[in-house]
Amino acid sequence: MADNSKLEDYILETKNISKEFPGVVALKDVSIEVKRGTVHALLGENGAGKSTLVKIISGVYSQTSGQIFVNGKEIEKITPKLAMDLKIAVIHQELNLVPQLTVAENVFVGREMTTKYGTIDYKEMHRQTEKLLDQFKINLNPKEKVSELSIADQQIVEIIKVLSLDTDIIIMDEPTDVLTDNEITQLFEIVHRLRETGTTIIYITHRLNELEQICDDFTILRDGQFIRSGKIKEYTQRDIVSLMVGHNVDNQFPYEKSIPGEEVLRLENCTREGVAENISFSIRKGEAVGFAGLVGAGRSELARCIFGADRFDQGNIYVDGKKVSIHSVRDAIKNGIYYTTENRKEDGLYLSAAVDFNMTISCIDDILSGKVIRKSMENSLTQDMKQKLAVKTPHMKALIKNLSGGNQQKVIFARALLTQPKIIILDEPTRGIDVGAKTEIYKIINTLKAEGNAVIVISSELPELMGICDRILVLHEGKLSGEFSKEDATEPKIMQCAFGISEVMENA
């Protein structure tokens, strides 16, 4: 039995929790203590055991051995129903909403309020939802269909749905992954208000810069084992990264300076109405150029035009000094340009298909003999890419959805490289992947540069752009508002241009 003296301090404790699957030990002797009314970060690389532990706490899995205490009372076996009774709820990274229903209907789905006549009481559901939205200062219409909301607002609906359950423990899994800076600020305000009312948050994130802003304590898992718990304010980001990966991290961004070669891409006065206005820039072989800017600045939209997914209304594109016409994605690939989307799961991957298919779909014409895939060529190409990019997969026929985020991203990189590109555009290449996998992605970018590729990196994380790019271009409302060399780039300078305060180009 838990020490009763801890009852007031700890709302949740696990002692020596282990979980074994056939042939796999997912957790081994994991013990954590979560204080009541705090935000407790659960940290670790992909595969560290975070998801398994959360599923045990929320009743999806049963532990193989070990004990769980909630409010000081041992709970032998948590089921999803018991987790709800214990006021434990999870806000998953993957949204679980019904698009055709309204905000209020989603909040109360499965437990609809009824009138005395047994019909659904939509008026009361709207009223209760409005009350929750007002309480947390959220500007949403309870009667609006979820399908008409942004992804960020849909995530807010998930949060409100959980809050309507009167929960004591809320587990948030990567809640800021798809949010803008303003939306993240709004989420943090909600979390602060929850903490003030005594709600406990277990917070999972790969964005370590969020920890100081939102979290009180942390627990780190590595390879299914407990590594350390502590107070956030007593550790630096470097300390935490080192504990997560198991060795000292001297440089989070392993930048390697290269000597740029000849110009490989140039845009002259390229415009697409409402997206980009008179964009002109060039990039050379062996150079990594970052695109910075606020959400809505036009970074991804510009990239899609360069890749032929959308078209410029006017302007010229030059590849290797020659003017080219890009009217389609096929045209872009033919001219040595490849773009990897920011949303790999929705737009970049065939989640129900195998790793090898996801790699070779970009060069499928090259490995076909009639309508039949030449297996020997496919195997040769995919094995080469697996080795070159250090893709971790049990075999090439494994489903891509079962790989970690970092390895999924490597497969997308492999797909790009199989087109033999000269210019590779990487849109949010490290979004949703752990710190160790990020370092591997940065090293791949260094390799691409060393091999003479030109790399464009679009990222919402300024430290990332400043850490790995040779130059940074800043966009504001579809216009280029600044340019900085690696040596001259600072966050204040970049943000000044991103907000459109300075329209003066500062050339490297």
Side-chain angles (χ1 to χ4, degrees), residues 33-93:
E33 297 175 331
V34 179
K35 292 180 181 178
R36 187 183 308 277
T38 63
V39 181
H40 192 109
L42 183 59
L43 305 172
E45 297 186 87
N46 289 332
K50 304 187 301 294
S51 295
T52 302
L53 182 60
V54 165
K55 287 176 179 177
I56 290 172
I57 294 170
S58 58
V60 177
Y61 294 158
S62 295
Q63 67 268 33
T64 305
S65 61
Q67 300 168 285
I68 301 175
F69 299 88
V70 179
N71 289 315
K73 180 180 178 181
E74 182 175 359
I75 311 296
E76 290 188 7
K77 184 179 179 180
I78 297 182
T79 63
K81 173 65 169 63
L82 182 55
M84 188 178 295
D85 292 341
L86 292 168
K87 298 187 176 183
I88 300 172
V90 182
I91 300 171
H92 295 284
Q93 192 174 9

Side-chain angles (χ1 to χ4, degrees), residues 83-275:
M84 188 178 295
D85 292 341
L86 292 168
K87 298 187 176 183
I88 300 172
V90 182
I91 300 171
H92 295 284
Q93 192 174 9
E94 305 297 334
L95 299 177
N96 187 28
L97 300 171
V98 183
Q100 296 78 17
L101 298 183
T102 66
V103 171
E105 288 167 344
N106 269 280
V107 167
F108 289 98
V109 68
R111 50 191 185 91
E112 290 80 3
M113 295 179 172
T114 56
T115 65
K116 62 182 180 180
Y117 304 107
T119 57
I120 295 177
D121 193 341
Y122 292 104
K123 185 176 181 179
E124 182 61 17
M125 283 162 49
H126 290 153
R127 191 184 74 79
Q128 292 288 347
T129 303
E130 184 97 59
K131 184 178 177 182
L132 281 167
L133 292 169
D134 289 345
Q135 180 182 346
F136 290 95
K137 300 179 182 178
I138 297 168
N139 185 26
L140 282 180
N141 183 352
K143 298 181 181 180
E144 189 170 6
K145 283 190 175 182
V146 162
S147 59
E148 297 170 358
L149 300 178
S150 68
I151 293 295
D153 282 340
Q154 289 181 31
Q155 192 162 53
I156 295 297
V157 175
E158 283 278 20
I159 294 170
I160 291 297
K161 183 165 69 172
V162 165
L163 297 181
S164 72
L165 297 171
D166 186 29
T167 50
D168 289 339
I169 302 172
I170 300 177
I171 302 170
M172 295 185 174
D173 189 359
E174 296 285 353
T176 61
D177 196 34
V178 295
L179 303 186
T180 66
D181 289 342
N182 287 337
E183 290 159 347
I184 290 172
T185 299
Q186 183 184 25
L187 174 66
F188 285 180
E189 289 173 356
I190 292 172
V191 171
H192 283 306
R193 283 195 285 274
L194 286 169
R195 179 168 51 189
E196 288 170 2
T197 60
T199 302
T200 303
I201 312 288
I202 296 176
Y203 192 85
I204 301 173
T205 185
H206 291 309
R207 297 185 173 188
L208 300 186
N209 61 314
E210 295 178 354
L211 299 181
E212 291 182 8
Q213 302 175 61
I214 201 70
C215 297
D216 302 295
D217 306 307
F218 71 88
T219 294
I220 293 174
L221 303 183
R222 186 173 70 239
D223 297 329
Q225 298 183 61
F226 170 85
I227 299 301
R228 188 172 298 179
S229 287
K231 295 183 178 297
I232 289 293
K233 63 183 180 182
E234 295 176 359
Y235 290 78
T236 66
Q237 273 194 35
R238 181 171 294 184
D239 294 335
I240 288 173
V241 171
S242 297
L243 289 166
M244 287 170 63
V245 301
H247 55 80
N248 289 331
V249 180
D250 295 325
N251 186 3
Q252 188 178 353
F253 303 106
Y255 170 79
E256 292 182 8
K257 187 174 179 63
S258 62
I259 301 175
E262 299 171 349
E263 177 188 274
V264 65
L265 174 70
R266 182 167 85 253
L267 270 63
E268 287 186 353
N269 303 315
C270 288
T271 296
R272 177 178 171 86
E273 188 175 353
V275 169

Side-chain angles (χ1 to χ4, degrees), residues 218 364 421 440:
F218 71 88
I364 193 72
E440 292 183 37

